[in-house]
């Protein structure tokens, strides 16, 4: 079976359920087919080869059960949001997963489906790399700061910035790329200094401290790299972020990014 990222998402969902299970490291020959990386009640993720370029690609297929379709009447699907956000970022030259295709299937009285296909990013997440390495940590943390700063300068706030959403090409030059951006805000103007940009920086600092268990000297490097990228002194930035203590302090930013911005009327 050849995997077509442009096929109807409801059909893709059915086909994905019959695929052999695999991992992101599964070796595939061109034309050999696809493997199912993740199988959950509302999302299936498939790794395959692009028929035109033979590059690896990843398709995320979302299923909304009939009983919950009412919630999506006034908002557009996560796959579509992420596709448009990736298009914006890719067009700005940001290092993100290249968007390849999007599909939507909404039929009254049935489950609804949507599908996003992107180019495959090889490597491991920044979180995994930081947990397994002692060397090169300073460069990786600084690189994360520069990438987030580049996003904000380009008018994009990530919304889900954390070490698990960076991919590190650990077989190459340790370059960083971003993925998983369904809640990004793409404003089209420099967002540095905004409360939404600080929300991204706050998320990264919390993640580095709690999930990656980094010491403060490395967290400081992130602030320094980000600050250099946007023209804010690290001490000023650290002070601004330190004022936001606990999730209650960023409640409205989180609500706006994850909820309010999702409700945009779009044709089915």
């Amino acid at each position: 079976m050849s995997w077509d990222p442009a096929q109807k998402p409801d059909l893709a969902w059915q086909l994905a359920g019959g695929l052999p299970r695999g991992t992101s490291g599964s070796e595939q020959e061109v034309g050999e087919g696809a493997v199912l990386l993740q199988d959950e009640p509302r999302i299936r993720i498939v790794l395959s080869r692009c028929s035109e370029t033979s590059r690896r690609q990843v398709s995320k297929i979302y299923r909304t059960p009939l009983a919950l379709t009412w919630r999506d009447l006034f908002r557009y699907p996560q796959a579509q949001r992420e596709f448009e956000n990736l298009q914006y970022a890719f067009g700005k030259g940001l290092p993100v997963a290249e968007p390849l295709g999007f599909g939507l299937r909404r039929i009254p009285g049935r489950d609804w489906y949507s599908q996003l296909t992107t180019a495959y990013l090889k490597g491991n997440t920044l979180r995994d790399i930081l947990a397994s390495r002692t060397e090169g940590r300073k460069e990786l943390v600084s690189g994360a700061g520069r990438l987030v700063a580049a996003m904000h300068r380009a008018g994009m706030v990530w919304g889900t910035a954390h070490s698990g959403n960076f991919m590190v090409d650990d077989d190459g030059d340790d370059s960083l790329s971003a993925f998983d951006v369904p809640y990004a805000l793409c404003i089209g103007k420099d967002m540095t200094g905004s409360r939404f940009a600080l929300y991204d920086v706050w998320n990264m600092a919390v993640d580095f401290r709690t999930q990656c268990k980094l010491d403060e000297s490395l967290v400081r490097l992130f602030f320094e790299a980000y600050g250099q990228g946007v023209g804010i002194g690290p001490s000023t930035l650290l002070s601004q972020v330190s004022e936001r203590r606990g999730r209650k302090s960023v409640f409205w930013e989180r609500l706006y990014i994850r909820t309010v911005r999702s409700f945009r009327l779009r044709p089915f």
Side-chain angles (χ1 to χ4, degrees):
M1 183 201 78
S2 61
W3 186 262
D4 178 8
Q7 63 195 352
K8 296 177 181 178
D10 51 347
L11 175 60
W13 178 271
Q14 296 175 16
L15 293 174
L19 292 174
R21 271 51 174 175
T23 66
S24 59
S26 300
E27 290 299 328
Q28 300 178 58
E29 298 297 329
V30 176
E32 185 177 293
V35 294
L36 184 62
L37 300 183
Q38 183 175 332
D39 187 9
E40 297 179 5
R42 298 186 190 177
I43 182 173
R44 286 174 173 168
I45 301 179
V46 173
L47 173 67
S48 62
R49 294 277 186 178
C50 178
S51 58
E52 296 181 356
T53 65
S54 79
R55 291 189 304 166
R56 286 186 177 188
Q57 60 186 16
V58 175
S59 295
K60 295 194 289 187
I61 315 154
Y62 297 92
R63 168 183 166 269
T64 302
L66 175 60
L68 298 177
T69 54
W70 63 271
R71 300 193 309 184
D72 289 344
L73 286 174
F74 301 104
R75 64 181 183 181
Y76 65 109
Q78 180 172 325
Q80 184 175 357
R81 295 200 304 268
E82 185 164 9
F83 180 72
E84 292 179 0
N85 292 337
L86 287 172
Q87 280 189 316
Y88 178 91
F90 198 76
K92 293 288 186 179
L94 295 170
V96 299
E98 180 183 358
L100 300 178
F102 163 75
L104 179 63
R105 188 70 166 174
R106 286 180 166 182
I107 300 177
R110 300 183 185 179
D111 293 348
W112 288 355
Y113 299 88
S114 60
Q115 176 181 326
L116 167 70
T117 299
T118 68
Y120 171 71
L121 296 176
K122 69 174 183 176
N124 289 288
T125 67
L126 176 60
R127 183 175 298 170
D128 290 339
I129 294 293
L130 291 174
S132 62
R133 276 197 207 173
T134 56
E135 75 284 354
R137 292 174 124 205
K138 292 182 179 180
E139 292 76 10
L140 289 170
V141 170
S142 295
R146 290 190 293 270
L147 195 158
V148 175
M151 279 188 174
H152 294 169
R153 292 197 312 271
M156 180 178 185
V157 173
W158 197 337
T160 51
H162 61 72
S163 59
N165 284 341
F166 289 83
M167 191 65 72
V168 181
D169 184 1
D170 52 349
D171 287 334
D173 56 0
D174 277 355
S175 59
L176 293 171
S177 300
F179 65 98
D180 196 13
V181 296
Y183 298 108
L185 301 182
C186 301
I187 306 298
K189 63 180 181 180
D190 193 333
M191 292 294 290
T192 58
S194 70
R195 72 183 197 273
F196 297 116
L198 287 175
Y199 175 70
D200 270 352
V201 178
W202 180 85
N203 270 330
M204 289 299 303
V206 170
D207 182 83
F208 278 149
R209 290 174 177 137
T210 61
Q211 299 299 318
C212 301
K213 309 298 182 184
L214 299 185
D215 59 49
E216 284 303 311
S217 63
L218 288 173
V219 178
R220 177 84 180 187
L221 281 177
F222 170 79
F223 282 117
E224 290 177 354
Y226 177 87
Q228 289 175 359
V230 300
I232 300 176
S235 297
T236 300
L237 182 63
L238 181 59
S239 176
Q240 291 174 337
V241 174
S242 296
E243 292 175 358
R244 317 301 296 270
R245 295 188 178 277
R247 289 203 171 270
K248 289 184 179 179
S249 67
V250 294
F251 173 79
W252 292 111
E253 287 84 352
R254 181 181 176 87
L255 178 67
Y256 184 82
I257 290 173
R258 289 178 171 264
T259 305
V260 177
R261 292 288 291 192
S262 298
F263 286 87
R264 308 172 189 172
L265 294 179
R266 290 288 191 276
F268 288 0

